[in-house]
Amino acid sequence: KNADAAMYRAKSTGHNMYFVYENRMADNINAHLTLGGGLRKAIEEEQFVLHYQPKIRLPDEAVVGAEALIRWVHPELGMISPDQFIPLAEESGLILPLGEWVIRRACRQLQEWREAGVPPIKLSVNLSSRQFMQADLVDMVRRALEETGVDPKNFELELTESMLMNDAQQSIEKLHSFRKLGLTLSIDDFGTGYSSLAYLKKFPIQTLKIDRSFIHDLGLDCDNDAIVKATIAMANSLNLKVIAEGVESRSQVDVLNGYECQEVQGYLFSKPLCSADFLTYMQNSYDTA
Ligand code: C2E
Ligand code: MG
Ligand code: MG
Ligand code: MG
């Protein structure tokens, strides 16, 4: 419907506009095909990097963790964000080798930080739904941890509500197997999926990450504030760690401190950083502490 309307508007303003519009559409389709087609080769050639965004503890604002976020360093198109290629990797099944690369790269990064003398921090990695359904996922993670010598208590997996609710019973079993490895489990984008509080109690998870859409409106909308406040209170009383994502301003930190939110992550503190910049960030953070 929207496309039809745009097409109509474009047509009615003349042939040139119509031509431009059609060309753009073709560009989008081409981009989709080019990225999709290039993905297999990109995996073989390891055209990916992980960036790391610090997680900050409240109220002392110490750096206590980081989230690993993938980027595709495309030879012609430059840096491509995960929202543009993770869905393609999901569709094609290439998310399985790509996801394994992410987990291994993250484990090696933890060891590199240790060798560089960085105080131990927890590193989290995002899983996608197809990856979560993979039968030998737990084994793959166990091998990656063992082969790199990473202490599992410094390793966290971020899952979404929809991934867990897809087959709740099977999810619970899988989460328990992960817990036996000694790592921690987090629910990402909390509040955006359809979350059943009854199930939340049954999932053996340790952390809730409040979605950044709720943090964005903090202090601007009473209903939104009430949701954030109640979510943090619920997490605290269930003994879950709670993190606010997408923190961009001091006033948001002040509100979150008031609600007793334990950790924050967002551009106010840092954007996701490449490995070298993250190391500098860490060194500065304990120099000034
Ligand atoms: P996410 O896991 O919820 O990650 C948080 C996203 O919010 C990141 O985008 C991060 O750069 C962005 N962000 C952080 N702080 C702020 C802020 O203050 N303001 C705003 N506006 N945004 C902020 P990014 O890196 O583009 O990643 C997008 C999504 O792609 C992630 O959402 C995650 O779902 C997915 N993703 C990233 N890396 C991986 C991966 O290795 N595997 C899988 N399966 N998915 C990944
Ligand atoms: Mg995440
Ligand atoms: Mg998130
Ligand atoms: Mg997300």
Side-chain angles (χ1 to χ4, degrees):
K1 269 265 146 37
N2 271 340
D4 285 347
M7 182 82 83
Y8 177 75
R9 272 199 308 279
K11 258 182 180 168
S12 64
T13 52
H15 285 288
N16 286 341
M17 274 299 288
Y18 177 57
F19 183 72
V20 168
Y21 178 82
E22 214 180 32
N23 244 359
R24 273 219 194 104
M25 198 161 69
D27 277 353
N28 283 340
I29 294 166
N30 282 339
H32 189 88
L33 293 178
T34 314
L35 287 185
L39 207 48
R40 186 179 302 275
K41 184 159 165 275
I43 293 170
E44 281 162 15
E45 295 180 0
E46 294 198 49
Q47 295 171 1
F48 300 93
V49 290
L50 293 185
H51 281 191
Y52 305 93
Q53 187 176 38
K55 291 182 183 170
I56 314 293
R57 183 174 63 202
L58 295 181
D60 68 346
E61 301 191 359
V63 185
V64 289
E67 175 174 8
L69 296 154
I70 196 170
R71 276 93 182 87
W72 180 359
V73 190
H74 193 283
E76 283 117 46
L77 304 172
M79 198 82 96
I80 303 177
S81 81
D83 288 329
Q84 287 180 268
F85 66 88
I86 293 290
L88 298 176
E90 279 266 306
E91 278 168 36
S92 59
L94 288 169
I95 193 66
L96 302 183
L98 188 59
E100 178 163 1
W101 180 86
V102 169
I103 285 167
R104 290 186 169 273
R105 179 70 195 94
C107 286
R108 274 190 282 119
Q109 186 63 69
L110 271 171
Q111 295 314 75
E112 285 167 28
W113 286 335
R114 203 178 62 168
E115 282 156 21
V118 175
I121 57 168
K122 193 184 282 245
L123 183 58
S124 68
V125 162
N126 294 282
L127 291 187
S128 75
S129 42
R130 184 137 170 199
Q131 206 184 354
F132 186 64
M133 290 189 299
Q134 187 184 9
D136 59 355
L137 176 69
V138 180
D139 260 351
M140 184 270 276
V141 172
R142 183 182 47 74
R143 281 196 309 272
L145 291 168
E146 281 173 6
E147 284 166 26
T148 51
V150 160
D151 183 345
K153 74 171 192 294
N154 295 328
F155 196 76
E156 185 162 80
L157 294 173
E158 297 194 7
L159 311 136
T160 62
E161 294 160 87
S162 54
M163 273 161 71
L164 297 177
M165 294 307 291
N166 190 30
D167 180 346
Q169 199 46 51
Q170 212 189 318
S171 296
I172 291 171
E173 285 166 30
K174 205 160 236 182
L175 297 185
H176 278 294
S177 322
F178 273 127
R179 288 294 290 149
K180 283 195 195 123
L181 301 183
L183 48 75
T184 56
L185 301 164
S186 170
I187 297 193
D188 202 357
D189 306 340
F190 185 72
T192 58
Y194 95 104
S195 41
S196 149
L197 293 181
Y199 264 109
L200 191 59
K201 221 176 59 178
K202 292 187 188 159
F203 291 126
I205 51 148
Q206 289 67 53
T207 308
L208 282 191
K209 296 188 78 175
I210 303 177
D211 190 68
R212 69 164 185 260
S213 56
F214 298 99
I215 307 308
H216 185 261
D217 290 342
L218 218 51
L220 304 173
D221 167 354
C222 300
D223 289 345
N224 179 75
D225 288 10
I227 293 172
V228 173
K229 186 180 183 183
T231 305
I232 294 170
M234 176 190 71
N236 283 334
S237 57
L238 290 172
N239 280 318
L240 298 175
K241 186 170 79 183
V242 59
I243 307 190
E245 294 192 293
V247 172
E248 296 184 355
S249 73
R250 246 317 126 187
S251 63
Q252 291 167 343
V253 175
D254 295 339
V255 175
L256 291 164
N257 256 318
Y259 294 163
E260 293 181 51
C261 183
Q262 284 146 296
E263 289 180 22
V264 285
Q265 184 184 342
Y267 295 167
L268 175 66
F269 297 94
S270 174
K271 295 205 164 184
L273 301 169
C274 71
S275 175
D277 289 348
F278 186 82
L279 191 58
T280 309
Y281 182 91
M282 285 304 291
Q283 283 159 348
N284 289 337
S285 82
Y286 40 86
D287 285 349
T288 56

